Amino acid sequence: MYSNNNNNNDNGSGLATVWTEETQQQQIKQDKPTHPEWGVMKEQDFHPLTLKHQRDLEILHQSGNAIVDFYFWQANLGGYCMADMIQNLVVSSDGAFVLVRRIVEGAPHPGRRKKKRS
């Protein structure tokens, strides 16, 4: 009459499931388009990097070539920056910030439009 199945993801131990990037991806993948987004955590808020830098970091991430010295310009981080993909860190003249890659819902930004030649 009563079911003894426990379906609240606590494995019977009273502990909740730990959310990892894979768990997040599985949760979002339910027929919704998703894409990765790169940015930094600054004052407890996520600040995305420019699209070009996000694409460059994602290509390195997908190819398994995480590097420790990715240099780029980001005005809202104080100018010239260096990202360390191994330690998930971005250093700029404004300070050091945590580098974050997250999976978000929606289609990726199409990028810049090419100018039509007349």
Side-chain angles (χ1 to χ4, degrees), residues 71-89:
Y71 294 96
F72 61 98
W73 177 267
Q74 184 82 19
N76 66 347
L77 295 179
Y80 206 49
C81 304
M82 186 204 68
D84 182 339
M85 295 177 72
I86 305 295
Q87 296 183 28
N88 292 329
L89 184 69

Side-chain angles (χ1 to χ4, degrees), residues 60-111:
L60 290 167
H61 177 77
Q62 292 291 332
S63 65
N65 294 328
I67 59 175
V68 296
D69 56 351
F70 178 79
Y71 294 96
F72 61 98
W73 177 267
Q74 184 82 19
N76 66 347
L77 295 179
Y80 206 49
C81 304
M82 186 204 68
D84 182 339
M85 295 177 72
I86 305 295
Q87 296 183 28
N88 292 329
L89 184 69
V90 173
V91 179
S92 75
S93 60
D94 282 358
F97 307 99
V98 176
L99 177 65
V100 177
R101 177 184 183 262
R102 64 183 189 176
I103 305 299
V104 295
E105 287 186 18
H109 192 281

Side-chain angles (χ1 to χ4, degrees), residues 6-18:
N6 192 355
N7 291 331
N8 62 0
N9 290 336
D10 69 358
N11 299 327
S13 66
L15 298 175
T17 303
V18 176

Side-chain angles (χ1 to χ4, degrees), residues 22-59:
E22 290 121 16
T23 313
Q24 181 185 12
Q25 288 175 358
Q26 290 171 356
Q27 190 74 15
I28 292 176
K29 278 189 179 177
Q30 300 166 352
D31 296 332
K32 297 179 183 176
T34 61
H35 67 280
E37 188 173 62
W38 289 84
V40 297
M41 294 305 293
K42 185 176 179 182
E43 298 171 0
Q44 299 179 343
D45 292 324
F46 180 82
H47 294 267
L49 299 179
T50 59
L51 294 174
K52 181 187 183 320
H53 305 323
Q54 287 192 44
R55 261 192 303 277
D56 292 342
L57 286 168
E58 185 61 22
I59 290 168

